[in-house]
Amino acid sequence: MEYDPEVMQTVMQIIEFLGTFAFAISGIRHAAACQFDWFGGFVCGVCVAIGGGTLRDVMLGVTPFWMTSPFYIICTLLAQVFVLLFAHSLKRLDNAWFVFDTLGLALFTIAGLQKTVDCGHPMWVAILMGCITGSAGGVIRDIFLNRMPLIFRKEIYAMASIFGGMLYWLLLELQVNVGVASAATFIFICLTRAIAMKYHISLPKLRDIE
């Protein structure tokens, strides 16, 4: 599908910046709940914000996105300042971490999808890379916090990313504008996570062989 490369690059940068901010807040909030100090919170925020995208870029054989501009690190610093300034307000919002985590998942899934397509890979690879971009940072965060990664537990998380990637693929195949496809994918992933959380929808658990 044809689109203006400069416009698409600008859109992808905006998505990555917003995703970085959202994921950084999520990571810092989780670190705060575990009583990490300021440095520990920043490290956790950075790992969530750039972990998935770094893994994606290494697998695609390109320079990791955060090494091309200092803005991603600055964005994480701003996220930490945001959490410090509004800690009490965020604490009163029981689902604040869920909101930022979901926004980051949706935004980074889209960034991973489009970057993989731009590198010339088939869409099935793009769907996997979108999932890695959106969820790998959270895995790193949970390992740092010494707990079972969220994507391996009952919540619909990585599957929301995969289904969102499939929707993105379908829309592009139908010649839908890439901006509209991105917006629809973002809304779909957010709604999928919200509905799954509200109605306690999850994948079946594996049963041990006796």
Side-chain angles (χ1 to χ4, degrees), residues 87 91 100 151 174:
K91 191 173 183 179
F100 289 115
I151 67 170
L174 294 175

Side-chain angles (χ1 to χ4, degrees), residues 162-182:
I162 291 174
F163 289 143
M166 294 172 68
L167 174 63
Y168 187 83
W169 178 19
L170 175 62
L171 292 175
L172 292 189
E173 286 293 311
L174 294 175
Q175 299 297 305
V176 174
N177 178 275
V178 69
V180 175
S182 297

Side-chain angles (χ1 to χ4, degrees), residues 15 98-99 102-110 113 160-161 163-165 167-168 171 178-196:
I15 288 174
F98 172 82
V99 172
T102 299
L103 292 176
L105 174 68
L107 290 165
F108 268 9
T109 294
I110 297 167
L113 285 165
S161 176
F163 289 143
L167 174 63
Y168 187 83
L171 292 175
V178 69
V180 175
S182 297
T185 301
F186 173 81
I187 294 171
F188 175 83
I189 293 174
C190 291
L191 285 177
T192 300
R193 284 274 287 148
I195 292 171

Side-chain angles (χ1 to χ4, degrees), residues 1 15 40 44 53-54 70 78 81 108 114-115 122 134 137 141 150 162 179 186-187 191 194 200 206-207 210:
M1 183 174 183
I15 288 174
C44 192
T54 300
L78 292 175
V81 172
F108 268 9
Q114 191 56 47
K115 189 163 189 176
R141 174 202 63 207
L150 181 65
I162 291 174
F186 173 81
I187 294 171
L191 285 177
H200 306 288
L206 286 172
R207 297 187 180 276
E210 298 183 0

Side-chain angles (χ1 to χ4, degrees), residues 39-113:
F39 179 73
F42 176 75
V43 171
C44 192
V46 167
C47 288
V48 179
I50 71 173
T54 300
L55 181 58
R56 171 204 66 207
D57 289 345
V58 169
M59 295 177 72
L60 293 177
V62 300
T63 302
F65 70 104
W66 60 270
M67 299 177 73
T68 62
S69 170
F71 189 86
Y72 298 98
I73 302 299
I74 295 172
C75 191
T76 305
L77 284 171
L78 292 175
Q80 177 135 334
V81 172
F82 178 85
V83 172
L84 291 173
L85 290 177
F86 300 101
H88 294 294
S89 297
L90 290 174
K91 191 173 183 179
R92 287 196 296 268
L93 300 174
D94 292 336
N95 292 325
W97 68 266
F98 172 82
V99 172
F100 289 115
D101 210 37
T102 299
L103 292 176
L105 174 68
L107 290 165
F108 268 9
T109 294
I110 297 167
L113 285 165

